[in-house]
Amino acid sequence: MNGFPILSVMLLVPALAAAACLFLSASQARWLALAATLANLALGVVLWLSFDIGGAQWQFVEHAPIFGRFGWSLGIDGFALLLIELSVFLMPICVGASWNAIEKRVPEYMSLFLFTEVLMIGTFAAQDLFLFYIFFEAGLIPMYLIIGIWGGANRIYASYKFFLYTLLGSVVMFIAMLYMSITADTTSIPVLMAYDFPAHVQTWLWLAFFASFAVKMPMWPVHTWLPDAHVQAPTAGSVILAGVLLKLGGYGFLRFSLPMFPEASAQLTWLIFALSAVAVIYTSLVALVQSDMKKLIAYSSVAHMAIVTVGLFAFNAPGIEGAMMVMLGHGLVSGALFLCVGVIYDRLHTREIARYGGLAQNMPRYAVLFLLFTMASIGLPGTSNFVGELLSLMGAYQVSTTITLLCTTGIILGAAYMLYLYRRVVFGEIKSDDVRAMPDLSKREMWLLVPIAAVVLWMGVYPESFLAPMRKDTQALLARIERARPAGDSLPTKGTGVIPAAHAETAAHGEAH
C-alpha cells in the first residue's frame, strides 16, 4: 500500500459519516450511512487483496506516539484481517435491514451504527494495549443505546443487563492491563505477546482477562444477558451483536490469553473445556424448547461460541483455525437467521413460532434462503459452519475424546432445534389469513440475504481462501505457546495428558491439511 494509512482511513470514513448523520434528515442519514458502509466495504476489499499471505506477521502498521507509552498504533495479522472483513461486510446489510424498520430518530440510529463500525474495526486493528481497551469497551455504548432506544417492550431491562454484565468484568481486566504495562514497560501488544510473565502472575492475569472475555463470548453461566439483548434489539442490532460483537471475546482469547499467558492457559484448559461442554449441551436443550424465534437463535449462539473456546484451547492448528472459521461462519449464518426472523416480523409483528406455518406456499424465495441458513447453522457439508466445526472438533479430539463427544452431541441437538424451527415456520398448513397474505421477499430483502448466502457457500466450498491468511499466524501462535512451556513439559493431548512437543505440532499440522 506504499505507506497509505488504510486502517486509519477505514476508521475515519464511518466516524465522519456518523458525525454528519446527526445534522441530516432521516432520508439523507440513511443514504449517507449506506454510502459510508459501502465505501468501507470497498476499502475492505482493497485490504484483503493487498494483504501479503505468508509475509510479515504485522501488516499495514501505523504508529504515532500520543503521550508516554500510549500511542495511536494500528496493524493487523491474518486473524484481525478476517474479522475486519466480516465487520465491513455485515455493516451495509445492517443499514439495509434498518431502512424501513426504523422510523424514529433515524439520524441518531444511523450515527450509532456507524460509530459501532469504528469501534469494531479499531478493536481488531489496535496494537496498543490501552487503545485496544478504549475500542473494546466503547463498543458497549452504541449497542446499549440501540437496544435501549429502538428495542422492544422490555428494552430498558435488557440494555441495562447487557451493559452491567459486560462492564463489570472489564474493570478487572483494566487493572491487569495496568500491571502488565508497568511490569513489561510497554503497551505494545506485539511486544507483550512475546513477553514472559512469571507463571504465578500469569494465572491472575489470565483470570482477569477471562472475566471480561467470558462475558463477551458469552460463556456459560455468564450468558444470560444475550437472549434478553437479542429479543429486545432491533433486527440490525441482533445481526451486528451476533455477527461481530460476540467475536470480541474469542479474539481476546486469541490475542491476549493464549500468547501472553500460555502457561496459565494450559493449566486452566480444564475450566474452559468444562464450561464449554456444559454450554453446548445445556443451551442447545434450552433452545429446543423456545417459543420465540430470536431467543432460540440467541441460545444457539452460546452453543456455537462454546465450540470456539474448545477449539482455541486445544492448542493445535486444527483447533485454532477451526475456531476462527466457526467465528466467521457463525457471524454470517446467525446474522442471516436474525435477518430471516426480521423479514417475517416486519410483516406479522410477532416472533412467536406458533403464529406461523406454511410459509413455503406464499413465500418460496424466503423458504429456500431460510433453509440454506438453517442447514449452514447445523453444519451441513458445503456450508461455512461445517468446516469450522469439523476442524475445531478434530483439534479437540487430539486433547480429549470425552469433550469432543460431548460437543458433538451439541451439534446433534443443534440439528434438532433448527429443523424443528424450520418445520414449524415454513411447512404445514397456513393457519391464518394474515399469514396467507404475507408477501415474499422484496428486492431489498433479496439484496440483504443473497450476498450472505453466497459467502456461506464460498466458505464451505473453498475454505482455503479463509484458512490461508491465518495459517502462518496460527503456527506463530503455537510456536510461542511451545516456547513458553517449562522444560520437559508440553502441550496437552488425550491419553497420557502430554506428548512430545514436536509430535504435537506435527500431528496438528498434518490434521490441518
Side-chain angles (χ1 to χ4, degrees), residues 120-144:
M120 292 188 305
I121 296 172
T123 301
F124 298 131
Q127 287 202 315
D128 182 274
L129 197 62
F130 294 109
L131 186 64
F132 168 86
Y133 184 82
I134 291 169
F135 283 126
F136 184 80
E137 293 308 322
L140 287 174
I141 300 169
M143 188 52 61
Y144 165 76

mmCIF file of all heavy atoms in Angstrom, residues 120-144:
data_model
loop_
_atom_site.group_PDB
_atom_site.id
_atom_site.type_symbol
_atom_site.label_atom_id
_atom_site.label_comp_id
_atom_site.label_asym_id
_atom_site.label_seq_id
_atom_site.Cartn_x
_atom_site.Cartn_y
_atom_site.Cartn_z
ATOM 1 N N MET A 120 -15.553 -1.466 16.209
ATOM 2 C CA MET A 120 -15.242 -2.864 15.885
ATOM 3 C C MET A 120 -13.923 -2.959 15.123
ATOM 4 O O MET A 120 -13.051 -3.779 15.465
ATOM 5 C CB MET A 120 -16.382 -3.479 15.066
ATOM 6 C CG MET A 120 -17.668 -3.662 15.832
ATOM 7 S SD MET A 120 -18.934 -4.579 14.930
ATOM 8 C CE MET A 120 -19.073 -3.637 13.410
ATOM 9 N N ILE A 121 -13.765 -2.145 14.099
ATOM 10 C CA ILE A 121 -12.522 -2.169 13.319
ATOM 11 C C ILE A 121 -11.346 -1.771 14.198
ATOM 12 O O ILE A 121 -10.268 -2.374 14.137
ATOM 13 C CB ILE A 121 -12.639 -1.247 12.095
ATOM 14 C CG1 ILE A 121 -13.730 -1.759 11.146
ATOM 15 C CG2 ILE A 121 -11.301 -1.150 11.362
ATOM 16 C CD1 ILE A 121 -14.044 -0.817 9.997
ATOM 17 N N GLY A 122 -11.548 -0.748 15.036
ATOM 18 C CA GLY A 122 -10.485 -0.307 15.923
ATOM 19 C C GLY A 122 -10.041 -1.380 16.896
ATOM 20 O O GLY A 122 -8.842 -1.534 17.176
ATOM 21 N N THR A 123 -10.996 -2.158 17.409
ATOM 22 C CA THR A 123 -10.651 -3.244 18.339
ATOM 23 C C THR A 123 -9.751 -4.274 17.673
ATOM 24 O O THR A 123 -8.755 -4.727 18.251
ATOM 25 C CB THR A 123 -11.932 -3.928 18.852
ATOM 26 O OG1 THR A 123 -12.754 -2.962 19.518
ATOM 27 C CG2 THR A 123 -11.599 -5.055 19.818
ATOM 28 N N PHE A 124 -10.087 -4.644 16.440
ATOM 29 C CA PHE A 124 -9.310 -5.674 15.748
ATOM 30 C C PHE A 124 -7.966 -5.154 15.241
ATOM 31 O O PHE A 124 -7.025 -5.924 15.061
ATOM 32 C CB PHE A 124 -10.116 -6.244 14.576
ATOM 33 C CG PHE A 124 -11.393 -6.908 14.990
ATOM 34 C CD1 PHE A 124 -12.594 -6.611 14.348
ATOM 35 C CD2 PHE A 124 -11.411 -7.819 16.035
ATOM 36 C CE1 PHE A 124 -13.777 -7.224 14.730
ATOM 37 C CE2 PHE A 124 -12.598 -8.437 16.432
ATOM 38 C CZ PHE A 124 -13.778 -8.138 15.781
ATOM 39 N N ALA A 125 -7.872 -3.845 15.006
ATOM 40 C CA ALA A 125 -6.644 -3.287 14.432
ATOM 41 C C ALA A 125 -5.695 -2.712 15.477
ATOM 42 O O ALA A 125 -4.522 -2.477 15.172
ATOM 43 C CB ALA A 125 -6.996 -2.186 13.417
ATOM 44 N N ALA A 126 -6.164 -2.484 16.698
ATOM 45 C CA ALA A 126 -5.337 -1.816 17.714
ATOM 46 C C ALA A 126 -4.121 -2.662 18.082
ATOM 47 O O ALA A 126 -4.231 -3.868 18.303
ATOM 48 C CB ALA A 126 -6.173 -1.537 18.963
ATOM 49 N N GLN A 127 -2.968 -2.004 18.162
ATOM 50 C CA GLN A 127 -1.737 -2.663 18.593
ATOM 51 C C GLN A 127 -1.199 -2.083 19.896
ATOM 52 O O GLN A 127 -0.135 -2.487 20.348
ATOM 53 C CB GLN A 127 -0.669 -2.566 17.498
ATOM 54 C CG GLN A 127 -0.924 -3.469 16.307
ATOM 55 C CD GLN A 127 0.326 -3.755 15.516
ATOM 56 O OE1 GLN A 127 1.105 -2.842 15.229
ATOM 57 N NE2 GLN A 127 0.533 -4.996 15.157
ATOM 58 N N ASP A 128 -1.914 -1.152 20.464
ATOM 59 C CA ASP A 128 -1.571 -0.605 21.774
ATOM 60 C C ASP A 128 -2.579 -1.128 22.786
ATOM 61 O O ASP A 128 -3.786 -1.172 22.516
ATOM 62 C CB ASP A 128 -1.594 0.924 21.747
ATOM 63 C CG ASP A 128 -1.203 1.539 23.082
ATOM 64 O OD1 ASP A 128 -2.101 1.698 23.943
ATOM 65 O OD2 ASP A 128 -0.005 1.833 23.258
ATOM 66 N N LEU A 129 -2.093 -1.535 23.944
ATOM 67 C CA LEU A 129 -2.928 -2.183 24.950
ATOM 68 C C LEU A 129 -4.115 -1.318 25.349
ATOM 69 O O LEU A 129 -5.254 -1.787 25.388
ATOM 70 C CB LEU A 129 -2.059 -2.489 26.182
ATOM 71 C CG LEU A 129 -2.586 -3.493 27.201
ATOM 72 C CD1 LEU A 129 -2.767 -4.860 26.570
ATOM 73 C CD2 LEU A 129 -1.638 -3.578 28.389
ATOM 74 N N PHE A 130 -3.869 -0.039 25.619
ATOM 75 C CA PHE A 130 -4.947 0.818 26.103
ATOM 76 C C PHE A 130 -5.812 1.346 24.964
ATOM 77 O O PHE A 130 -6.986 1.657 25.170
ATOM 78 C CB PHE A 130 -4.376 1.955 26.948
ATOM 79 C CG PHE A 130 -3.754 1.465 28.219
ATOM 80 C CD1 PHE A 130 -2.378 1.487 28.390
ATOM 81 C CD2 PHE A 130 -4.536 0.919 29.218
ATOM 82 C CE1 PHE A 130 -1.793 1.014 29.560
ATOM 83 C CE2 PHE A 130 -3.973 0.437 30.390
ATOM 84 C CZ PHE A 130 -2.593 0.476 30.564
ATOM 85 N N LEU A 131 -5.240 1.437 23.762
ATOM 86 C CA LEU A 131 -6.068 1.767 22.604
ATOM 87 C C LEU A 131 -7.068 0.637 22.352
ATOM 88 O O LEU A 131 -8.251 0.890 22.066
ATOM 89 C CB LEU A 131 -5.180 1.981 21.372
ATOM 90 C CG LEU A 131 -5.880 2.471 20.106
ATOM 91 C CD1 LEU A 131 -6.479 3.862 20.322
ATOM 92 C CD2 LEU A 131 -4.907 2.497 18.923
ATOM 93 N N PHE A 132 -6.596 -0.600 22.476
ATOM 94 C CA PHE A 132 -7.499 -1.747 22.383
ATOM 95 C C PHE A 132 -8.602 -1.652 23.431
ATOM 96 O O PHE A 132 -9.787 -1.868 23.130
ATOM 97 C CB PHE A 132 -6.711 -3.051 22.563
ATOM 98 C CG PHE A 132 -7.581 -4.261 22.758
ATOM 99 C CD1 PHE A 132 -8.070 -4.964 21.670
ATOM 100 C CD2 PHE A 132 -7.929 -4.694 24.042
ATOM 101 C CE1 PHE A 132 -8.898 -6.079 21.861
ATOM 102 C CE2 PHE A 132 -8.750 -5.800 24.231
ATOM 103 C CZ PHE A 132 -9.226 -6.498 23.131
ATOM 104 N N TYR A 133 -8.233 -1.330 24.656
ATOM 105 C CA TYR A 133 -9.217 -1.274 25.733
ATOM 106 C C TYR A 133 -10.281 -0.210 25.453
ATOM 107 O O TYR A 133 -11.471 -0.437 25.696
ATOM 108 C CB TYR A 133 -8.518 -0.981 27.060
ATOM 109 C CG TYR A 133 -9.448 -1.007 28.245
ATOM 110 C CD1 TYR A 133 -9.805 -2.212 28.839
ATOM 111 C CD2 TYR A 133 -9.988 0.170 28.756
ATOM 112 C CE1 TYR A 133 -10.672 -2.247 29.927
ATOM 113 C CE2 TYR A 133 -10.854 0.141 29.843
ATOM 114 C CZ TYR A 133 -11.185 -1.064 30.419
ATOM 115 O OH TYR A 133 -12.055 -1.089 31.482
ATOM 116 N N ILE A 134 -9.853 0.930 24.937
ATOM 117 C CA ILE A 134 -10.808 2.006 24.625
ATOM 118 C C ILE A 134 -11.816 1.542 23.577
ATOM 119 O O ILE A 134 -13.034 1.693 23.744
ATOM 120 C CB ILE A 134 -10.056 3.266 24.152
ATOM 121 C CG1 ILE A 134 -9.270 3.887 25.313
ATOM 122 C CG2 ILE A 134 -11.031 4.289 23.567
ATOM 123 C CD1 ILE A 134 -8.294 4.966 24.883
ATOM 124 N N PHE A 135 -11.305 0.973 22.497
ATOM 125 C CA PHE A 135 -12.205 0.491 21.441
ATOM 126 C C PHE A 135 -13.087 -0.651 21.959
ATOM 127 O O PHE A 135 -14.294 -0.703 21.685
ATOM 128 C CB PHE A 135 -11.398 0.007 20.231
ATOM 129 C CG PHE A 135 -10.858 1.115 19.368
ATOM 130 C CD1 PHE A 135 -9.513 1.181 19.055
ATOM 131 C CD2 PHE A 135 -11.700 2.080 18.838
ATOM 132 C CE1 PHE A 135 -9.009 2.193 18.249
ATOM 133 C CE2 PHE A 135 -11.210 3.097 18.036
ATOM 134 C CZ PHE A 135 -9.865 3.149 17.743
ATOM 135 N N PHE A 136 -12.474 -1.575 22.675
ATOM 136 C CA PHE A 136 -13.160 -2.779 23.160
ATOM 137 C C PHE A 136 -14.326 -2.423 24.067
ATOM 138 O O PHE A 136 -15.434 -2.958 23.929
ATOM 139 C CB PHE A 136 -12.130 -3.645 23.905
ATOM 140 C CG PHE A 136 -12.640 -4.973 24.380
ATOM 141 C CD1 PHE A 136 -12.749 -6.040 23.510
ATOM 142 C CD2 PHE A 136 -12.982 -5.173 25.718
ATOM 143 C CE1 PHE A 136 -13.199 -7.287 23.954
ATOM 144 C CE2 PHE A 136 -13.433 -6.401 26.172
ATOM 145 C CZ PHE A 136 -13.538 -7.458 25.282
ATOM 146 N N GLU A 137 -14.110 -1.506 25.003
ATOM 147 C CA GLU A 137 -15.146 -1.159 25.957
ATOM 148 C C GLU A 137 -16.138 -0.136 25.411
ATOM 149 O O GLU A 137 -17.315 -0.163 25.752
ATOM 150 C CB GLU A 137 -14.515 -0.619 27.245
ATOM 151 C CG GLU A 137 -13.739 -1.658 28.018
ATOM 152 C CD GLU A 137 -14.546 -2.909 28.272
ATOM 153 O OE1 GLU A 137 -15.765 -2.807 28.533
ATOM 154 O OE2 GLU A 137 -13.977 -4.007 28.209
ATOM 155 N N ALA A 138 -15.658 0.763 24.548
ATOM 156 C CA ALA A 138 -16.573 1.767 23.986
ATOM 157 C C ALA A 138 -17.635 1.122 23.106
ATOM 158 O O ALA A 138 -18.701 1.716 22.886
ATOM 159 C CB ALA A 138 -15.781 2.804 23.190
ATOM 160 N N GLY A 139 -17.362 -0.093 22.632
ATOM 161 C CA GLY A 139 -18.367 -0.803 21.842
ATOM 162 C C GLY A 139 -19.650 -1.058 22.609
ATOM 163 O O GLY A 139 -20.711 -1.295 22.007
ATOM 164 N N LEU A 140 -19.578 -1.017 23.938
ATOM 165 C CA LEU A 140 -20.789 -1.148 24.760
ATOM 166 C C LEU A 140 -21.774 -0.008 24.516
ATOM 167 O O LEU A 140 -22.989 -0.212 24.519
ATOM 168 C CB LEU A 140 -20.405 -1.129 26.242
ATOM 169 C CG LEU A 140 -19.709 -2.329 26.865
ATOM 170 C CD1 LEU A 140 -19.313 -1.982 28.290
ATOM 171 C CD2 LEU A 140 -20.636 -3.517 26.851
ATOM 172 N N ILE A 141 -21.250 1.183 24.327
ATOM 173 C CA ILE A 141 -22.085 2.379 24.368
ATOM 174 C C ILE A 141 -23.124 2.422 23.248
ATOM 175 O O ILE A 141 -24.328 2.551 23.520
ATOM 176 C CB ILE A 141 -21.211 3.651 24.376
ATOM 177 C CG1 ILE A 141 -20.299 3.647 25.607
ATOM 178 C CG2 ILE A 141 -22.074 4.907 24.336
ATOM 179 C CD1 ILE A 141 -19.210 4.696 25.590
ATOM 180 N N PRO A 142 -22.710 2.316 21.963
ATOM 181 C CA PRO A 142 -23.731 2.396 20.915
ATOM 182 C C PRO A 142 -24.740 1.251 20.967
ATOM 183 O O PRO A 142 -25.936 1.473 20.753
ATOM 184 C CB PRO A 142 -22.915 2.379 19.616
ATOM 185 C CG PRO A 142 -21.594 1.828 19.979
ATOM 186 C CD PRO A 142 -21.353 2.236 21.398
ATOM 187 N N MET A 143 -24.294 0.028 21.283
ATOM 188 C CA MET A 143 -25.250 -1.087 21.337
ATOM 189 C C MET A 143 -26.205 -0.929 22.518
ATOM 190 O O MET A 143 -27.391 -1.269 22.413
ATOM 191 C CB MET A 143 -24.487 -2.415 21.418
ATOM 192 C CG MET A 143 -25.374 -3.641 21.277
ATOM 193 S SD MET A 143 -26.452 -3.618 19.797
ATOM 194 C CE MET A 143 -25.238 -3.545 18.482
ATOM 195 N N TYR A 144 -25.707 -0.410 23.623
ATOM 196 C CA TYR A 144 -26.566 -0.120 24.781
ATOM 197 C C TYR A 144 -27.669 0.869 24.387
ATOM 198 O O TYR A 144 -28.846 0.692 24.738
ATOM 199 C CB TYR A 144 -25.693 0.438 25.904
ATOM 200 C CG TYR A 144 -26.433 1.105 27.033
ATOM 201 C CD1 TYR A 144 -27.111 0.363 27.995
ATOM 202 C CD2 TYR A 144 -26.459 2.499 27.146
ATOM 203 C CE1 TYR A 144 -27.772 0.984 29.042
ATOM 204 C CE2 TYR A 144 -27.121 3.124 28.182
ATOM 205 C CZ TYR A 144 -27.779 2.363 29.129
ATOM 206 O OH TYR A 144 -28.446 2.989 30.161
#
